[in-house]
Amino acid sequence: MIEKAVEEIKSVGVEISTSMEDRIAYCKDYNPLHLPKLLKKEFPALPHAVAFPKTTEEVSKVLQVANAYGVPVYVFGGGSGVIDAATPYEGGIAVSTLGLDFVEIDEENMLVRAGAGVVGGRLEKILNHRGFTLRHTPQSLYCSTVGGWVATAASGQFSTGYGNIENLLISLTAVLPDGEVVVERATPRRAGPDLKRIFVGSEGLLGVVTEAVMKIFPLPEEFLTLSVEYEGIGDVVRDAKALMQLKPALMRIFDDEESLRYFDSESFTLIAVFEGKGASAKLREAKEMVSGKVVDGRAEKWLEKRFDVSDISRIVPLGFIFDTIEVACFWRDAEKVYTEVLKAIRGVEGTVTASAHASHFYESGLCFYFTFAGLPADIENYYEEVWRKAVETSLRNGGNLTHHHGVGRLRKRWLSAEIGGYYPLLRDLKSILDRRNILNRGVML
């Protein structure tokens, strides 16, 4: 069937490759278990072919053919996801969205229309050149795509002030598994169910996002920083909660281990950014509000190195496994989630280090982002045990399943516990929209 599907896709004018080079390039996402396998010349999985559509219509053609033959399809943007959601374990066709790379700016209405394959760093550079910003800057900014942001319900470093991707979205265009194109008219607000939201965080299960219209903002005239140090998690969390009334554009908490790594200090650290009109007044008020010691330079140090993840490529060849687990919780549970999840990770034999920072804040709570590295005898069993203990400890202590990395394959066993009665609805929606179950098999459900 796959050979017939490939030939038919070629016949309708869509570029598709069966070369081993392309198949290897689309054999995995950025899940940490894949790199050790590649270093041993083992492939996590291999698609039978890779399609490179350049328009929504070409995506539709690929899905029409794949659906007709029942061929699995796995959707790839930048491949920067870490939850094993794009790996083509059942072969089939990997669909690259990178050819959907157009950008159109509507200055009058403060909007940008972008193809799903536009890489975040390029989009931000184009906007900055015209005096605007999306203010959506995940750590993967320079390797993740607009479509990937929507599919994983992504969150950027400035989400505290500007919101997550769902808050920036105005409208979406997507292709359903049978090839039908659904287009939403852009408008400031709409009545009725917001049906584009079924694609936000859907991880390619329900359709392929091909373009998005999003809000943009003027580049801020003022950009001021605050750095504060503390002795423990309780005081810094309480100050972070209080500072939310000033609506910082960005705020982060670093525990003692992460402060040592970033700032050569064993204290807990809070950094914040205030920008735009009134930033100076907000900064003055913030300095009066905090209970910790105001210090210099830590925010600037972090901003300078915030996209650097080069440590991973250096330690994995030495036998280490490195990953992050992010969860959200209400303010009342913050100290407990922080303490208990770290204890759970450190309790797994083979753990070398475990630390945490808080990266996204809301009026009602925050996101903790746990980082761990291990040097175990059995990498896969160790990795499985860390994830199991961390997630189950989070759920038991008031935390949730995930904040912005998604569910994928890593977290799917806990999804029904998280969303309860909505789980059957998701399953039914999948069966209605994707009757032949071709899209991203094995993900989430």
Side-chain angles (χ1 to χ4, degrees):
M1 288 296 185
I2 184 67
E3 293 81 5
K4 290 182 179 179
V6 169
E7 288 305 313
E8 193 164 330
I9 289 169
K10 285 181 181 177
S11 72
V12 295
V14 180
E15 182 183 351
I16 189 165
S17 170
T18 55
S19 74
M20 183 58 75
E21 293 88 347
D22 287 328
R23 293 169 66 202
I24 292 173
Y26 288 85
C27 76
K28 66 174 190 66
D29 66 3
Y30 208 68
N31 178 259
L33 286 180
H34 295 326
L35 182 53
K37 289 183 179 179
L38 289 174
L39 290 172
K40 293 186 291 185
K41 299 182 180 179
E42 298 174 3
F43 303 127
L46 276 178
H48 291 93
V50 184
F52 300 96
K54 295 180 174 58
T55 63
T56 294
E57 291 70 27
E58 289 194 353
V59 173
S60 174
K61 290 176 181 178
V62 172
L63 292 187
Q64 285 179 45
V65 173
N67 192 64
Y69 287 100
V71 172
V73 172
Y74 291 89
V75 189
F76 277 80
S80 62
V82 294
I83 53 170
D84 208 15
T87 310
Y89 287 111
E90 297 194 32
I93 300 170
V95 175
S96 170
T97 63
L98 293 177
L100 303 163
D101 62 352
F102 57 87
V103 176
E104 299 174 4
I105 299 173
D106 179 349
E107 294 191 15
E108 182 178 8
N109 295 307
M110 303 291 288
L111 302 173
V112 63
R113 176 175 171 262
V118 176
V119 174
R122 174 172 170 256
L123 176 59
E124 187 66 14
K125 185 175 181 180
I126 292 170
L127 290 170
N128 292 172
H129 184 70
R130 298 271 288 270
F132 298 103
T133 177
L134 188 64
R135 268 305 182 257
H136 182 77
T137 53
Q139 190 174 46
S140 60
L141 180 68
Y142 294 99
C143 57
S144 59
T145 60
V146 169
W149 294 346
V150 174
T152 59
S155 186
Q157 294 159 349
F158 286 82
S159 70
T160 299
Y162 293 85
N164 302 306
I165 193 65
E166 66 269 20
N167 307 115
L168 301 173
L169 278 178
I170 295 293
S171 67
L172 283 179
T173 297
V175 182
L176 301 182
D178 63 359
E180 181 183 352
V181 178
V182 288
V183 182
E184 183 181 45
R185 178 172 172 261
T187 184
R189 191 174 184 270
R190 71 189 73 254
D194 190 356
L195 293 177
K196 68 174 174 291
R197 290 293 185 99
I198 68 171
F199 298 107
V200 179
S202 67
E203 299 177 21
L205 278 185
L206 306 177
V208 180
V209 172
T210 58
E211 67 178 70
V213 177
M214 298 168 286
K215 304 173 189 177
I216 56 176
F217 307 90
L219 281 169
E221 295 180 8
E222 277 193 292
F223 187 94
L224 304 174
T225 64
L226 172 70
S227 304
V228 191
E229 68 175 18
Y230 299 82
E231 292 185 2
I233 186 67
D235 290 338
V236 66
V237 166
R238 281 188 288 274
D239 274 4
K241 179 182 178 182
L243 288 173
M244 282 302 295
Q245 64 188 277
L246 299 178
K247 299 191 181 300
L250 175 153
M251 187 160 61
R252 290 176 88 90
I253 292 171
F254 304 85
D255 72 3
D256 48 353
E257 287 209 23
E258 298 218 357
S259 289
L260 185 61
R261 188 182 312 148
Y262 279 108
F263 314 121
D264 197 26
S265 168
E266 294 185 33
S267 61
F268 284 68
T269 299
L270 179 147
I271 66 170
V273 170
F274 299 95
E275 62 181 27
K277 188 175 181 180
S280 298
K282 287 183 178 181
L283 180 59
R284 286 194 300 271
E285 188 173 351
K287 288 180 177 180
E288 294 173 359
M289 290 173 61
V290 296
S291 61
K293 179 184 176 183
V294 177
V295 294
D296 292 328
R298 295 190 189 180
E300 288 75 13
K301 282 184 180 179
W302 177 78
L303 286 163
E304 183 179 343
K305 61 175 75 171
R306 60 188 164 136
F307 298 116
D308 183 6
V309 293
S310 59
D311 287 348
I312 300 173
S313 61
R314 288 194 289 267
I315 68 172
V316 171
L318 301 177
F320 286 85
I321 184 73
F322 173 97
D323 203 6
T324 58
I325 301 171
E326 28 56 73
V327 300
C329 63
F330 292 122
W331 290 110
R332 66 166 179 255
D333 300 311
E335 292 183 55
K336 186 168 56 174
V337 169
Y338 166 79
T339 302
E340 295 302 318
V341 173
L342 273 184
K343 185 190 300 182
I345 295 172
R346 289 168 177 165
V348 179
E349 185 177 355
T351 299
V352 175
T353 183
S355 60
H357 61 265
S359 51
H360 309 272
F361 297 82
Y362 306 88
E363 286 77 6
S364 57
L366 72 165
C367 161
F368 276 120
Y369 195 100
F370 298 94
T371 299
F372 68 91
L375 190 60
D378 185 321
I379 284 180
E380 293 198 14
N381 284 338
Y382 166 79
Y383 187 76
E384 162 77 16
E385 185 66 359
V386 169
W387 268 91
R388 184 184 70 80
K389 286 197 170 182
V391 172
E392 291 178 0
T393 301
S394 173
L395 294 173
R396 193 166 53 247
N397 287 280
N400 78 342
L401 181 61
T402 179
H403 179 265
H404 59 274
H405 284 172
V407 177
R409 290 182 174 86
L410 279 180
R411 291 173 158 121
K412 67 180 180 179
R413 79 182 84 167
W414 300 289
L415 182 60
S416 61
E418 171 101 342
I419 64 176
Y422 286 91
Y423 187 85
L425 293 181
L426 175 61
R427 189 179 55 212
D428 291 347
L429 189 58
K430 170 69 170 174
S431 66
I432 292 168
L433 294 180
D434 190 4
R435 290 180 175 84
R436 304 202 68 178
N437 190 28
I438 66 166
L439 275 181
N440 283 24
R441 288 181 186 171
V443 174
M444 196 179 295
L445 296 173

